[in-house]
Amino acid sequence: MTVKEIFETMDYGPAPESAAEALAWLVDQGGKFGHYIDGAFTKPGKGFESRNPATGKVLAKLTQAKQGDVDAAVSAARKAQPNWEKLGGAGRARYLYAIARMLQKHSRLFAVLESLDNGKPIRESRDIDIPLVQRHFYYHAGMAQLMESELPDAQALGVCGQIIPWNFPLLMLAWKVAPALAMGNTVVLKPAEYTSLTTLLFADICSQAGLPKGVVNIVTGDGVVGEMIVASDVDKIAFTGSTVVGRRIREATAGSGKELTLELGGKSAYIVFDDADIDSAIEGLVDAIWFNQGQVCCAGSRLLVQEGIADRFHTKLRARMDNLRIGDPLDKCIDVGAVVDPVQLQTIKDMVESNTAGDLYQANCALPDNGCYYPPTLISGLETSDPLMQEEIFGPVLVSSTFRTPSEAVELANNTRYGLAATVWTENVNLALDIAPKLVAGVVWVNATNLFDAAAGFGGVRESGFGREGGWEGLTAYTKPKGKSNALTKLDATTGEGAPVDPIDRTAKMYVGGKQARPDGGYSKHVWGKSGLLGHVGLANRKDVRNAVEAAAGAKGWSKTTGHLRAQILYYIGENLSARAGEFAARIDAMTGGKTGAAEVEASIQRLFTAAAWADKYDGQVHGVPIRGVAIAMKEPVGVIGALCADEAPLLGLVSAMAPAIAMGNRVVLAASEPFPLAATDFYQILETSDVPAGVVNILTGSHAELAKPLASHLNVDAVWSFSSTDLSKEIEVVSAGNLKRTWVNNAKATDWNVDHTRQFLQAATEVKNIWVPYGE
C-alpha cells in the first residue's frame, strides 16, 4: 500500500513492534525454564510448552512443578521471612523502589513479552499494564516506608501463597507481590500455565535488583501446582481466577487458619441512561468489553440501555464494531488481539453457539487465518434469566438488555450472583451519585470504565470474592495484629439438680423481628448456676435461624439510616443498660459463679458508647488517583451478619459483636453464649426500650454447633462470625463457600474481651466500594 493509497482510503497501515529483544531474552535463557526458588533458577525439567496464541508458535518450554519443588519454595520463603520483616519498612522500601526502577528500565521488553505470551495488543500492555505494574511497586514502596508510623500495631502474616490468572499475568503479580513484600511477608507465587514468561522475567529482575534470597519464589505448572500451594505450610492464600476454583480453595483452607483473599469472576453491568453522551458511552463500552479481548473479570459484559435510546445506541454500536481492527497483537494499530489459548477460544464458541435467545451480531471485519481469534460479538434483546446474561463468558462477547427507569436499572444490574464492578453513564451527576451506591459491586465507574490504580482498592462482593487489592484497605490482607493469642478452651455449662432459685419462672424466649419468640422445635434446656436452677432457655433450630434471617432481611432500611441516628440509638441502649447495671451484674455472677459481673457490665456500656462514637466517624476516603477525578472509597455495611457470641463473656461478647455491626448499618442474628445465655435474654428487654427497629437485632439461644451450619449456609446471610468456645471454624468456612460469604472465625484461638477490639469489628462490618468519578469537559 502506497502513502497515496493510505491517504485516500484513510486505512491504517501496519505498525509492527519488533519482537527481537524479547525473543533474544528467551534464547539467552536457553528457551527452557525451571522454577525460581531461593534466589536462583532451578534446572529445567519435564513440563509443557508456552505458545504465542496469535501464531501457535512455541515461545519456550516450562517446568511442571512437583511436590518437592513447592516444598522447597515454601521452605525458602519461610527461612527468609524473619530477616525480611526485621529489615524494617524503610529497608524493604529500598528493594521495592529498586524493582520499580528496573521495571521502568525494561518496560518495552516486558510489554512485548506480555503480548507475545498473552495475545493482548501491544498498545494495551505497553500503555496500561506495564505502567500500572511500575505504579504498584512505587506505591507500595511508600507503604513500606510508612508502615512503622502509620500501622504501628500491624505485623506481617508470614509466607503468602499467591496464584494468578492468565489475563493480566504481570499486573496480577504486582497486585499481590508488592503489598505482600511491603508489609514484611515472603511469597511463593504460581503464574498461569498459559502465561508464565513475564513472571519468570520478573524473577530475573528480582535477582538483578539484589532482592534477598527466598523473598520471592516462583513455581510453574498447571492447576495441580496451585492445589499444592493451597495445601502447603503458608499463612495466606491470595487467588485471582474463576469462582468455581475460588469456592474449592475456600473449602480446602477451611479451619486451617490461613488468611484468604479471593478476587473472582464477574458479570458487570454497563448502564447507559438516556441523557448520556452516546458516542462517549460507546467508546467507553469498547474499552469495557473488547479490552484484552474481553478476558477481564470486571469487563462490562452486560449492557443495560435505557429503552428510549436503545435502537439508536445499538445501531451506532454495530457500526463501531465494524471498524474495530483485529490482528497481530504486536501491531500497534490493532484494537483486538488473540484469545489466550485454543481451549479458551473453544469455550467462547461453545457458549455463544449454545445460546438461542436474542439477536446475534458479529463485527464485519476480517480475522487472521491463523491464531486464536474471535470476532467482537453483540447479543441484544436478552432477558435477565437467559444463561448468557448470568454466566461469565470471558471473551469478546457483549450481551444486552433494556430498562425504563433508574430503579429498574438498579434491579437488573443487581440481578446476578456476582458483584465485582459496574459502570454508570449519564450526564446527570445527581443521578450518577444516586445510582452508584445502590449497585452491589466493589467498584463503580462513572462515565468511564476499567480505571485502576494502586491507591484505590479493587475487589468484589457476593460470588466475586472478598478482600481488596490496592490502597490502604488492601494492606490489611497482608497484616495481622501484633501479639499472640492463647488456645481456645471449651466452656461447658454448669450442671445441677433441685428446685429453681426463684420459684416464679421467668420464661426466657428468643428475640426475632422485635418480638419475643418461642423456639420452633418446642424444646428448652436448663440453665444452672452454682446456687441452683436459674431458668430455662429455648433451643433454636434451623427454622428459628430462617425466621431470624428473614426478620433481618426485612429491616434493610436500617442500612439507609444516618450514622447520627444509629449513634443516638446506641447511646440510648448504653444508658438503659447502665440503669440496670446491678441487675445484669448479679445475673452474670449467678450464671458464671464469679465476681466479675459488674466489670463486664461496665465494659459492655463502654463498648456501646465507643460504637456509638464511631457510627458517624468511621469514614471512607477520597483516593489520590492519577486522573482528573476522584476515587471515592465508601464504607458500606456488609448486610446481614450472623454471629456466634463468646461463651465466656455472656454480655460483653454479645455487645462487642452487636454494637459495631449495627453502628455501621448491618442487621445481626446473634447466637447467645451457649453455657450462660440468660444475660442475652435479659438484654432484649433493653433493646425493646431503646428504639431499636424490629429485625435489626435478633437473638437466638441454643447449641452453637446446631446453629453454625444453617447460619453459614443461608444465602441471605452476608457474613458469619464465630467467637464460640466450641471451635466451629472449619465447618463454618466449608459451608460458607456455597455463596462465598465473608467469615471471621477464631480458629481455636481465644479472644481477650477485656481489650477493646472495636476497630477490628468495624472493619469486619464494612465493605469498601470505590466509586470513580472523572470530572472536567
Side-chain angles (χ1 to χ4, degrees):
M1 182 177 288
T2 65
V3 173
K4 180 180 179 181
E5 289 172 332
I6 294 174
F7 181 78
E8 289 176 348
T9 63
M10 294 303 290
D11 285 341
Y12 283 86
E17 175 73 44
S18 173
E21 292 295 327
L23 295 175
W25 181 80
L26 294 173
V27 171
D28 289 344
Q29 309 303 311
K32 298 180 180 179
F33 292 88
H35 313 294
Y36 184 73
I37 298 174
D38 205 20
F41 282 101
T42 64
K43 182 180 178 180
K46 293 182 180 180
F48 52 96
E49 295 174 334
S50 180
R51 293 178 177 270
N52 182 342
T55 64
K57 292 182 179 179
V58 176
L59 295 171
K61 294 184 178 180
L62 306 178
T63 301
Q64 172 73 19
K66 299 179 180 179
Q67 185 64 58
D69 300 312
V70 173
D71 292 344
V74 172
S75 177
R78 183 69 66 190
K79 181 179 178 181
Q81 195 275 325
N83 287 335
W84 177 246
E85 185 172 13
K86 289 177 184 177
L87 195 60
R92 295 192 297 272
R94 293 171 68 92
Y95 286 103
L96 290 167
Y97 280 129
I99 292 172
R101 287 193 293 270
M102 294 292 288
L103 288 165
Q104 286 181 316
K105 292 174 184 177
H106 300 285
S107 60
R108 189 57 63 95
L109 174 60
F110 274 104
V112 173
L113 189 60
E114 192 81 320
S115 289
L116 282 172
D117 202 24
N118 171 274
K120 66 176 61 186
I122 183 65
R123 64 182 183 85
E124 293 179 7
S125 56
R126 179 197 64 198
D127 299 339
I128 299 173
D129 290 29
I130 306 306
L132 270 174
V133 171
Q134 298 159 4
R135 163 74 172 149
H136 271 269
F137 277 95
Y138 273 119
Y139 178 86
H140 286 98
M143 286 296 198
Q145 187 79 27
L146 298 174
M147 184 178 180
E148 276 85 1
S149 62
E150 301 304 312
L151 300 169
D153 297 323
Q155 63 179 348
L157 291 171
V159 177
C160 300
Q162 303 178 327
I163 304 168
I164 60 176
W166 44 258
N167 54 342
F168 292 94
L170 193 64
L171 184 56
M172 293 297 99
L173 177 151
W175 280 19
K176 289 176 170 53
V177 171
L181 266 55
M183 296 296 100
N185 303 279
T186 54
V187 302
V188 176
L189 181 139
K190 189 199 88 68
E193 182 181 5
Y194 297 150
T195 54
S196 301
L197 295 183
T198 50
T199 303
L200 296 169
L201 176 56
F202 176 80
D204 193 15
I205 290 297
C206 288
S207 293
Q208 294 181 42
L211 191 70
K213 295 180 180 180
V215 172
V216 170
N217 304 272
I218 295 168
V219 290
T220 54
D222 57 18
V224 174
V225 181
E227 293 175 5
M228 293 177 186
I229 293 175
V230 170
S232 67
D233 180 28
V234 297
D235 302 293
K236 174 185 171 63
I237 294 294
F239 171 78
T240 296
S242 73
T243 296
V244 172
V245 177
R247 184 175 288 113
R248 284 162 47 193
I249 291 174
R250 167 74 287 177
E251 292 170 346
T253 59
S256 66
K258 294 174 184 175
E259 295 293 327
L260 184 61
T261 298
L262 298 176
E263 196 264 281
L264 307 176
K267 193 69 177 178
S268 300
Y270 190 98
I271 307 170
V272 182
F273 287 96
D274 58 8
D275 66 338
D277 180 335
I278 292 180
D279 292 329
S280 294
I282 287 175
E283 287 306 308
L285 186 55
V286 168
D287 284 336
I289 182 57
W290 292 303
F291 172 61
N292 198 22
Q293 298 71 252
Q295 300 168 130
V296 183
C297 53
C298 57
S301 57
R302 195 161 45 107
L303 173 63
L304 303 175
V305 188
Q306 198 152 15
E307 202 170 84
I309 62 168
D311 290 342
R312 182 182 173 204
F313 189 93
H314 285 120
T315 299
K316 282 178 167 283
L317 177 59
R318 294 186 188 101
R320 181 67 180 91
M321 290 169 63
D322 290 341
N323 287 316
L324 291 173
R325 299 177 299 279
I326 306 171
D328 180 7
L330 290 184
D331 187 342
K332 292 186 281 289
C333 294
I334 289 302
D335 295 310
V336 182
V339 173
V340 72
D341 188 84
V343 173
Q344 180 62 19
L345 178 62
Q346 190 60 48
T347 298
I348 297 168
K349 289 180 178 179
D350 291 345
M351 292 187 73
V352 174
E353 290 170 3
S354 66
N355 175 68
T356 58
D359 299 312
L360 174 70
Y361 183 82
Q362 294 186 315
N364 184 23
C365 46
L367 299 181
D369 294 331
N370 298 313
C372 301
Y373 293 95
Y374 194 83
T377 299
L378 168 66
I379 305 175
S380 56
L382 293 181
E383 300 293 333
T384 302
S385 58
D386 289 324
L388 292 190
M389 286 291 283
Q390 295 291 333
E391 299 301 326
E392 186 177 32
I393 302 172
F394 223 65
V397 181
L398 175 67
V399 297
S400 177
S401 185
T402 61
F403 66 90
R404 293 182 178 179
T405 65
S407 60
E408 185 184 3
V410 171
E411 185 176 353
L412 291 173
N414 291 340
N415 192 340
T416 172
R417 69 181 191 273
Y418 297 110
L420 189 53
T423 297
V424 177
W425 214 282
T426 174
E427 291 296 287
N428 184 343
V429 67
N430 292 322
L431 178 61
L433 295 181
D434 176 51
I435 296 297
K438 296 177 181 177
L439 298 174
V440 182
V443 181
V444 178
W445 295 293
V446 175
N447 291 343
T449 192
N450 281 339
L451 298 178
F452 309 101
D453 186 64
F458 181 86
V461 295
R462 290 179 172 173
E463 294 190 28
S464 290
F466 45 78
R468 295 292 181 266
E469 295 183 297
W472 286 99
E473 57 266 36
L475 288 183
T476 60
Y478 289 98
T479 63
K480 62 182 178 181
K482 288 182 178 177
K484 295 183 178 181
S485 299
N486 295 322
L488 190 67
T489 300
K490 176 70 170 70
L491 193 61
D492 295 318
T494 303
T495 59
E497 58 183 18
V501 175
D502 185 349
I504 299 177
D505 179 39
R506 291 174 54 192
T507 303
K509 299 179 183 178
M510 295 181 291
Y511 188 63
V512 176
K515 299 177 182 178
Q516 298 180 36
R518 297 184 184 278
D520 174 83
Y523 289 98
S524 296
K525 73 168 186 175
H526 298 82
V527 180
W528 295 91
K530 289 190 175 181
S531 58
L533 181 64
L534 302 178
H536 298 81
V537 293
L539 291 173
N541 60 23
R542 61 181 181 84
K543 291 185 178 180
D544 296 305
V545 171
R546 179 199 64 190
N547 294 339
V549 173
E550 286 181 357
K556 61 183 179 180
W558 178 252
S559 299
K560 300 176 183 179
T561 58
T562 65
H564 174 65
L565 174 63
R566 297 194 294 270
Q568 286 183 300
I569 291 175
L570 282 161
Y571 281 129
Y572 196 12
I573 297 172
E575 291 170 6
N576 286 334
L577 178 59
S578 179
R580 295 175 58 182
E583 175 189 339
F584 273 85
R587 175 69 90 176
I588 293 169
D589 288 342
M591 287 190 297
T592 62
K595 298 181 180 180
T596 60
E600 182 171 338
V601 173
E602 179 57 29
S604 299
I605 295 169
Q606 292 305 315
R607 295 287 195 279
L608 287 162
F609 275 51
T610 299
W614 275 114
D616 55 359
K617 301 176 185 67
Y618 193 61
D619 297 327
Q621 292 177 300
V622 177
H623 292 306
V625 292
I627 64 167
R628 288 196 67 209
V630 294
I632 307 168
M634 296 180 60
K635 288 188 168 72
E636 298 183 329
V638 170
V640 176
I641 299 174
L644 304 178
C645 298
D647 289 327
E648 65 273 26
L651 181 64
L652 182 57
L654 181 143
V655 168
S656 294
M658 179 205 76
I662 68 173
M664 294 296 100
N666 299 282
R667 294 89 70 201
V668 294
V669 177
L670 305 171
S673 167
E674 186 174 340
F676 310 129
L678 295 179
T681 57
D682 287 348
F683 187 71
Y684 65 60
Q685 299 169 6
I686 300 291
L687 298 175
E688 288 176 329
T689 58
S690 301
D691 295 340
V692 179
V696 171
V697 178
N698 304 273
I699 299 173
L700 304 178
T701 54
S703 167
H704 287 178
E706 294 293 327
L707 296 175
K709 186 174 181 179
L711 269 176
S713 62
H714 202 298
L715 296 181
N716 285 338
V717 174
D718 301 291
V720 176
W721 302 344
S722 178
F723 307 103
S724 173
S725 68
T726 302
D727 184 16
L728 299 166
S729 303
K730 182 174 183 178
E731 180 176 4
I732 289 171
E733 290 182 332
V734 167
V735 177
S736 72
N739 68 343
L740 289 168
K741 59 171 60 70
R742 290 175 60 174
T743 61
W744 183 16
V745 295
N746 54 18
N747 289 307
K749 299 293 184 181
T751 300
D752 184 356
W753 295 104
N754 293 313
V755 176
D756 190 345
H757 302 288
T758 298
R759 289 298 294 262
Q760 287 179 263
F761 278 97
L762 292 171
Q763 182 179 322
T766 52
E767 294 280 11
V768 177
K769 175 186 287 182
N770 277 280
I771 301 175
W772 291 68
V773 186
Y775 51 70
E777 293 293 330

